[in-house]
């Protein structure tokens, strides 16, 4: 099935998780970062306005600092994020520059989005950058943010799934794509249930769907399906389509913007 979205999608937000950007060893996945830069640059050249929401700061900082494992203490996570964010932007800047694209860094916290004046400034900044043909790269300002602290096993700082939906709303996007280490939303956990089936289309986030999605992600990232459903809810409320797809095939973005039936699409009223 191909949805008739070609005319509709003009402004696109793509979110990539730490598991797409780093290897099992914690090193950068340069192949994926390069592919991402190439595909997003190409989409920009095709007339789409593109915003990238990128995780990875803590994971990349952990490796760069030669820490044995991802830190658990908040201040160490914040320190790792400060180091990793810098390295991550350096690599993005380099890869996007290969395709003659300019990127910008935007770091934000929950408070920035909640405060009306700050959020208006953010909105205006996105508008100006996109008008200038710049590709904004967004992450949570992990070194100052502690608003969304949770004491769960893997989630301490805020999650970028929710952040990306907030960004999609802030910049009036038409589509949010979450590139993950999973093909989409399944009716059971495919890691433990091989018979699990992919759900292609969701119109509404029901309590049953939430129960089905379960929790946690991998050690390199923080999100799981629960945070993706929060993001979907925020998008559905704002009339923005959202797709969860596997980040191992970044070229799928070409088909996704054309409405191809890849991963799980959340869209109301179809
Ligand atoms: N902002 C965190 C980072 O860049 C990750 C949050 C997430 O993976 O959702 O490391």
């Amino acid at each position: 099935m191909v949805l008739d979205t070609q005319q509709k999608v003009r402004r696109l937000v793509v979110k990539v998780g730490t598991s797409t950007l780093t290897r099992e060893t914690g090193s950068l996945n340069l192949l994926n970062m390069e592919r991402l830069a190439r595909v997003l640059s190409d989409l920009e050249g095709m007339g789409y306005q593109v915003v990238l929401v990128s995780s990875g700061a803590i994971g990349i900082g952990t490796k760069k600092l030669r820490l044995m494992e991802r830190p658990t203490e908040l201040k160490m996570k914040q320190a790792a994020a400060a180091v990793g964010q810098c390295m991550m932007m350096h690599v993005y800047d380099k890869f996007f520059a290969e395709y003659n694209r300019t990127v910008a860094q935007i770091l934000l916290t929950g408070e920035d989005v909640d405060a009306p004046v700050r959020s208006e400034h953010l909105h205006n900044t996105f508008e100006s950058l996109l008008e200038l043909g710049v590709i904004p790269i967004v992450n949570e300002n992990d070194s100052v943010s502690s608003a969304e602290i949770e004491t769960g096993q893997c989630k301490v700082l805020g999650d970028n799934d929710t952040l990306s939906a907030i960004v999609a709303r802030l910049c009036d996007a038409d589509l949010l794509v979450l590139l993950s280490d999973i093909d989409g939303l399944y009716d059971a956990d495919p890691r433990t249930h091989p018979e699990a089936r992919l759900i292609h289309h969701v119109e509404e986030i029901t309590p049953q769907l939430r129960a089905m999605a379960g929790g946690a992600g991998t050690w390199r990232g923080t999100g799981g399906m629960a945070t993706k459903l929060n993001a979907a809810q925020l998008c559905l409320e704002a009339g923005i389509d959202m797709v969860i797809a596997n980040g191992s095939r970044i070229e799928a973005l070409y088909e996704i913007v054309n409405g191809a039936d890849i991963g799980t699409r959340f869209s109301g009223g179809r």
Side-chain angles (χ1 to χ4, degrees):
M1 180 183 62
V2 175
L3 300 172
D4 181 26
T5 56
Q6 195 163 11
Q7 298 308 313
K8 214 184 84 185
V9 178
R10 185 173 151 265
R11 198 166 275 188
L12 167 72
V13 178
V14 176
K15 182 256 172 182
V16 282
T18 306
S19 51
T20 302
L21 298 174
T22 60
R23 305 267 180 196
E24 290 284 338
T25 57
S27 287
L28 287 177
N29 187 327
L30 292 170
L31 186 64
N32 275 351
M33 289 185 82
E34 200 280 332
R35 276 187 183 143
L36 188 64
R38 176 158 40 87
V39 172
L40 295 186
S41 297
D42 204 16
L43 287 169
E44 200 273 333
M46 289 161 71
Y48 294 96
Q49 292 182 325
V50 181
V51 176
L52 173 62
V53 175
S54 180
S55 302
I58 300 172
I60 294 167
T62 301
K63 180 76 177 174
K64 172 108 177 167
L65 290 167
R66 297 197 176 87
L67 304 176
M68 296 305 282
E69 56 188 25
R70 191 179 169 102
T72 48
E73 204 186 352
L74 177 64
K75 64 183 183 186
M76 286 298 284
K77 279 191 188 205
Q78 294 186 306
V83 171
Q85 179 68 29
C86 185
M87 179 166 175
M88 185 165 81
M89 284 308 296
H90 171 71
V91 176
Y92 275 133
D93 200 30
K94 188 171 131 77
F95 282 141
F96 277 96
E98 292 279 324
Y99 302 103
N100 199 23
R101 294 300 187 279
T102 301
V103 295
Q105 172 182 264
I106 296 194
L107 298 178
L108 47 86
T109 64
E111 289 93 331
D112 298 327
V113 179
D114 287 342
V117 175
R118 288 191 193 201
S119 104
E120 193 190 326
H121 287 165
L122 271 168
H123 172 83
N124 294 341
T125 305
F126 276 117
E127 284 296 329
S128 307
L129 289 169
L130 292 170
E131 269 168 35
L132 289 163
V134 172
I135 299 177
I137 302 182
V138 187
N139 196 359
E140 185 166 356
N141 197 349
D142 292 324
S143 295
V144 301
S145 175
S146 60
E148 293 169 275
I149 293 173
E150 281 191 18
T151 50
Q153 232 187 327
C154 14
K155 184 176 166 187
V156 175
L157 289 167
D159 75 86
N160 276 7
D161 293 329
T162 311
L163 176 75
S164 61
I166 292 170
V167 167
R169 287 171 64 135
L170 254 179
C171 56
D172 301 323
D174 306 303
L175 176 68
L176 167 64
V177 183
L178 303 183
L179 292 176
S180 180
D181 53 2
I182 194 161
D183 290 342
L185 177 66
Y186 282 85
D187 60 2
D189 186 344
R191 292 171 298 190
T192 48
H193 296 75
E195 74 289 356
R197 280 179 316 174
L198 185 71
I199 301 172
H200 292 274
H201 188 208
V202 174
E203 283 188 17
E204 199 191 346
I205 312 297
T206 59
Q208 291 91 315
L209 204 69
R210 285 196 187 274
M212 207 156 63
T218 62
W219 71 271
R220 284 177 293 145
T222 55
M225 271 303 154
T227 56
K228 292 181 176 48
L229 292 189
N230 290 343
Q233 179 75 55
L234 287 168
C235 285
L236 285 174
E237 280 167 15
I240 301 168
D241 278 14
M242 186 186 106
V243 172
I244 302 173
N246 202 316
S248 64
R249 207 173 74 79
I250 288 162
E251 285 75 8
L253 281 172
Y254 289 113
E255 298 153 72
I256 292 171
V257 292
N258 280 330
D261 194 9
I262 292 175
T264 302
R265 182 174 289 257
F266 298 79
S267 61
R270 277 199 200 100

